[in-house]
Amino acid sequence: MTKRIAVLTSGGDAPGMNSAIRAITLSALRSGFQCFGFFHGYNGLINQEYTELSAISVTDITQLGGTILKSARCPAMLEPSGVLQAANALRKLHIDVLIVIGGDGSFRGMQALAAHWQGQLIGIPGTIDNDLSGCDNTIGFSTAINTATSAIDKIRDTANAFERVFITEVMGRHNGHIAYHVGIATGAEAIISFENCTVENTSQVLAHLKNAIEQQHQHGSFLIILAENLWPGGAQALKTELNSNADINCALCVLGHIQRGGAPSVEDRMLATELGVAAVEVINGSIKPNTDITTPIMVGKIHGVIVITKVEKVLNMDKPVSQEWVQRYQHYLAEQ
């Protein structure tokens, strides 16, 4: 009997998700499988909102941002009743394998499903935050840092013209991968991220910033890259503290969801395609994971090699920014 595989994209969208959908669909069809796509993440699974994917349906999508299957958060998957509904839907539709493209929340949904459904669960890391272990980069990260870098380069022009201090807040959820990559790439004078700032030491960070900004005449402008969800009261509070307490006239730009949009970079298209094909190779047996078939796994890439990691391990292991780079930036590149 023909194996039936399904794919969904869940949580925050990431550029490159469409490339993964295309790779999964074409690889599945070449392997003799039927391929289905659920719309709106786990919501579509619970509500049995799906379509059969064909070669035609994934033509000319690899260059598109977002996801043709749409995405959404699914509060129902946080409740036992919602997980049971999802498992029952998979059984009713005779799905043998579910591939989930998303971040840690999406993978927690896989873990919950595994307790109630005996099919194969495969995760593909798709999030701009790059916060999943088991891979060097997640799908969408490359595009996000390219987008943010381009935007901040433009901010630098205005900052230079007015000899001003600019705070730019970037995404990243609860880690500094975007902040550090973008900060280093744009030559930012200061990076404030989870690796060098805590709620307890904000006063020291503020004092250091004030001292460094007083030297800004050497460069004409001063760029501060701030990781989201970090500064008490947010980026606006940091701006207010600098303007009021340190008597510094600074401007603020929150890049926000612009970082999640746009055509995916070549790197993201290639990574997504490789991981999509690899996921199907796990299904057809070309790649043999050292796990039971009912154990949820994630397909990733480390040092150029496809690796298979148990989702449980992915969720329980941190992926911090390299401390070596944090220290090198502070010692050699940041304003002192």
Side-chain angles (χ1 to χ4, degrees), residues 87-145:
N88 288 335
L90 289 168
R91 280 189 285 268
K92 181 178 179 179
L93 297 172
H94 306 290
I95 301 298
D96 299 296
V97 185
L98 177 64
I99 300 175
V100 176
I101 308 170
D104 67 336
S106 305
F107 288 1
R108 293 186 194 283
M110 290 172 58
Q111 283 286 84
L113 265 177
H116 302 282
W117 181 63
Q118 296 304 301
Q120 195 169 12
L121 287 157
I122 301 174
I124 293 179
T127 167
I128 69 166
D129 302 325
N130 198 30
D131 58 351
L132 292 174
S133 62
C135 61
D136 287 334
N137 290 326
T138 56
I139 296 168
F141 177 62
S142 167
T143 308
I145 58 176

Side-chain angles (χ1 to χ4, degrees), residues 15 24 26 92 107 116 118 125 130 135 137 155 163 181 201 203 219 222-223 247 272 302 323:
I24 291 166
L26 297 181
K92 181 178 179 179
F107 288 1
H116 302 282
Q118 296 304 301
N130 198 30
C135 61
N137 290 326
I155 290 171
E163 296 184 325
H181 276 73
N201 76 342
S203 59
H219 302 293
F222 194 101
L223 293 188
D247 194 27
I302 298 178
Q323 274 302 306

Side-chain angles (χ1 to χ4, degrees), residues 25 210 336:
T25 301
K210 180 181 178 181
Q336 302 301 314

Side-chain angles (χ1 to χ4, degrees), residues 3-240:
K3 187 166 285 190
R4 293 162 66 91
I5 73 173
V7 58
L8 62 82
T9 50
S10 173
D13 60 304
M17 282 183 165
N18 284 325
S19 296
I21 294 169
R22 176 179 179 272
I24 291 166
T25 301
L26 297 181
S27 301
L29 296 175
R30 287 291 181 90
S31 299
F33 305 148
Q34 281 185 286
C35 191
F36 301 87
F38 287 106
F39 293 105
H40 305 114
Y42 286 108
N43 294 300
L45 172 55
I46 290 172
N47 298 323
Q48 298 177 47
E49 183 186 1
Y50 66 94
T51 185
E52 185 167 1
L53 296 172
S54 65
I56 293 176
S57 64
V58 296
T59 299
D60 294 334
I61 67 169
T62 193
Q63 74 276 19
L64 303 177
T67 161
I68 63 166
L69 293 177
K70 311 303 179 184
S71 191
R73 314 289 181 185
C74 184
M77 286 297 289
L78 301 176
E79 303 295 333
S81 58
V83 177
L84 285 173
Q85 281 182 281
N88 288 335
L90 289 168
R91 280 189 285 268
K92 181 178 179 179
L93 297 172
H94 306 290
I95 301 298
D96 299 296
V97 185
L98 177 64
I99 300 175
V100 176
I101 308 170
D104 67 336
S106 305
F107 288 1
R108 293 186 194 283
M110 290 172 58
Q111 283 286 84
L113 265 177
H116 302 282
W117 181 63
Q118 296 304 301
Q120 195 169 12
L121 287 157
I122 301 174
I124 293 179
T127 167
I128 69 166
D129 302 325
N130 198 30
D131 58 351
L132 292 174
S133 62
C135 61
D136 287 334
N137 290 326
T138 56
I139 296 168
F141 177 62
S142 167
T143 308
I145 58 176
N146 286 343
T147 298
T149 296
S150 177
I152 295 168
D153 283 345
K154 293 175 175 64
I155 290 171
R156 173 71 86 176
D157 291 341
T158 292
N160 279 333
F162 284 88
E163 296 184 325
R164 294 193 71 181
V165 177
F166 260 86
I167 302 168
T168 304
E169 183 188 86
V170 297
M171 284 183 164
R173 200 161 173 263
H174 296 297
N175 76 77
H177 286 285
I178 292 178
Y180 267 92
H181 276 73
V182 169
I184 291 170
T186 58
E189 282 72 28
I191 299 172
I192 304 176
S193 186
F194 297 91
E195 294 74 15
N196 64 4
C197 180
T198 64
V199 174
E200 290 75 24
N201 76 342
T202 52
S203 59
Q204 294 98 307
V205 171
L206 195 63
H208 177 80
L209 273 178
K210 180 181 178 181
N211 180 66
I213 290 170
E214 287 174 351
Q215 310 303 317
Q216 71 163 315
H217 64 274
Q218 298 176 13
H219 302 293
S221 63
F222 194 101
L223 293 188
I224 302 168
I225 306 301
L226 174 66
E228 66 175 350
N229 301 318
L230 173 62
W231 197 266
Q236 183 62 50
L238 174 59
K239 175 188 172 182
T240 300

Side-chain angles (χ1 to χ4, degrees), residues 276-328:
V277 171
V280 175
E281 288 183 318
V282 171
I283 299 168
N284 67 26
S286 298
I287 295 177
K288 301 184 185 298
N290 189 25
T291 61
D292 181 83
I293 194 171
T294 59
T295 300
I297 59 170
M298 187 193 82
V299 179
K301 189 177 181 184
I302 298 178
H303 302 318
V305 178
I306 295 294
V307 296
I308 307 298
T309 309
K310 292 181 181 179
V311 166
E312 181 181 16
K313 183 177 180 180
V314 172
L315 295 175
N316 290 329
M317 185 183 298
D318 290 331
K319 183 184 177 182
V321 174
S322 164
Q323 274 302 306
E324 288 81 2
W325 256 115
V326 172
Q327 292 169 9
R328 284 170 179 162

